[in-house]
Amino acid sequence: MPTNNYNQRKLNATENNLLNVNFGQKLWFIVAAVIAVCAACLIFFKFVNPSYDEEAALKMKPIFFGNTRVDDEPVNSITLIAPTTTAVYFNILPQKKQFQFDDLLSNDNTPLDVNMYMIIQVRKGQTPSLLRNYGEEWFENFIEPYFRNKVREYVSSCSPFDLMSNREVLSAFDNKIKQSMRQYVASLSRKANFPIDIQQVITDRVMPNKEQLEEMNKTAASIQAKQTQEKRAEMELARAKAERNKAVADKAYMTELNLSPAQFIQLRAWDVIEKKHGANIDVLVGGGETPVWNIRRK
């Protein structure tokens, strides 16, 4: 009996060892298979990982048969995609698009340089429609050409001086273009969804072009020089008038006191001396043609 028990325990131990070996082999096989699958995914598949301000639309191409299409669901987080699928990223935050126009003609054919910008936003969750209906170059192909055309059209109906200095005219000008852009987007959306919002249109600066500005500066300089000369002439005329009035007053003074020209001149001379710093005239001696003055110096 003891011998049989020993043999039985030995047999059980052998079986357990075999089971452990088989389990270990299976476990390693599973791990190897997982690693192989992961490696295949890294090799044959791609990851899409949009930023916080982005959304991706997937352009899906079949591996063998079928048609290329845009997936209806946008991608907002890290996602594994097939090697034939392409991710197109769209910024879904409001974007500032700047425009510079050279030599736009106003209503009097004055060439103007205009700087403007537009705030535009792509609607979140609708980027697949934007890609499917209007493509990756939707802004360059549909928004920018129409915007530039409308700016030229409205500038040609405005006075250059209003555009350069009248804020009310500029505000109305911006509002007209914004409304025109919104109507244009709405008309396109009636045919195929165009999921963008025109939020603002703002004119930053309106200036004459370089050649026109130089001419205006020359004209302004000429006007300023003319005004300076006119002011100088007015001052000279005023001075001459004042001198004539003074001469009339002096003559009346001479007549009233019955003074000869020599006496009047001498009297005026002593007036000048009296006003001179340090002189004090207080005594008049003699009543002849040439009186004697007592002048004391301080």
Side-chain angles (χ1 to χ4, degrees), residues 5-25:
N5 290 335
Y6 172 78
N7 291 333
Q8 185 64 38
R9 286 197 300 273
K10 187 175 181 180
L11 179 61
N12 291 338
T14 301
E15 290 177 351
N16 289 334
N17 289 335
L18 290 173
L19 289 173
N20 290 335
V21 170
N22 291 334
F23 177 77
Q25 290 176 344

Side-chain angles (χ1 to χ4, degrees), residues 10 42 49 51 56 62 65 81 100-102 144 172 196 208 210 239 243 246 264 266 269 271 295:
K10 187 175 181 180
L42 292 175
N49 188 19
S51 177
F65 304 102
I81 62 174
Q100 182 173 345
F101 301 88
D102 296 326
E144 184 174 7
I196 66 167
K210 184 178 179 180
R239 180 182 174 187
E243 292 294 338
K246 186 174 182 300
F264 179 78
Q266 190 176 34
D271 286 342
I295 300 175

